[in-house]
Amino acid sequence: MIHATSIIRREAVDEDRIVDIITLDHGDRHRRRIVLHADGGTAFLLDLGKADVLEDGDAIRLDSGWLVRVRAAPERLIAVRTDDPLDLPTLAWHIGNRHVPAEIARDAIYIAYDHVLLDMLQGLGATTEIVERPFRPVRGAYHHHEHGRDPHHHSHGDGHG
């Protein structure tokens, strides 16, 4: 079986190396080890050192050096909007307080469809709309890409950094 052990982030993808596309929903884009079947039939074992999120536009590097592009699948979401833009941060707080993944846009917050959350948001005065689109939630504050540095190293400004 073909193996894949690394992710190439969207901005670094060499388009000439793409051999297939894999369409995954938000839940399926958070992986460490799984057999996957790309849309064009390429089957491979994704075997990352640790669980990571495959973002829309990223690519998975196969052991041959070829790439499989990741595409975010359309999902059933709730688009949350308000008439007053100052109310949107309050709604974001209520969503975050429930530890629900959310995509933050200039004029809306998108969350996975859940009838309980839909009722709550409408009760808080939000305008809601059920939409089908790729879901690209904000990654957690403690999740970031390592760029050749110790991810746990940070400075406290006291010289002991």
Side-chain angles (χ1 to χ4, degrees), residues 35-107:
V35 173
L36 294 170
H37 298 272
D39 302 352
T42 305
F44 59 94
L45 173 66
L46 178 67
D47 192 10
L48 302 174
K50 62 181 181 173
D52 204 345
V53 177
L54 303 165
E55 301 287 356
D56 186 56
D58 287 348
I60 301 166
R61 184 192 315 266
L62 305 177
D63 53 10
S64 63
W66 293 105
L67 304 175
V68 174
R69 163 93 62 205
V70 176
R71 178 174 37 210
E75 300 182 52
R76 187 175 189 207
L77 305 175
I78 302 171
V80 181
R81 295 185 174 85
T82 61
D83 293 331
D84 182 347
L86 293 177
D87 290 338
L88 207 54
T90 301
L91 294 171
W93 182 87
H94 283 285
I95 292 167
N97 195 42
R98 282 145 186 87
H99 303 281
V100 174
E103 179 179 345
I104 311 297
R106 182 171 302 282
D107 67 336

Side-chain angles (χ1 to χ4, degrees), residues 20 23 26 30 37 57 60 67 78-79 111-112 114 123 127 131 147 153:
D20 210 335
T23 306
H26 171 253
H30 187 259
H37 298 272
I60 301 166
L67 304 175
I78 302 171
I111 61 172
D114 178 300
T127 301
V131 297
H147 294 285
H153 176 82

Side-chain angles (χ1 to χ4, degrees), residues 50 141-155:
K50 62 181 181 173
Y142 297 106
H143 182 95
H144 54 81
H145 301 299
E146 296 177 28
H147 294 285
R149 62 178 178 81
D150 179 352
H152 302 289
H153 176 82
H154 56 277
S155 176

Side-chain angles (χ1 to χ4, degrees), residues 113-143:
Y113 178 82
D114 178 300
H115 73 280
V116 172
L117 291 174
L118 179 65
D119 290 346
M120 177 198 75
L121 292 163
Q122 290 171 342
L124 291 169
T127 301
T128 58
E129 177 185 7
I130 308 305
V131 297
E132 285 277 332
R133 62 184 286 282
F135 187 34
R136 300 175 186 99
V138 175
R139 296 176 91 170
Y142 297 106
H143 182 95

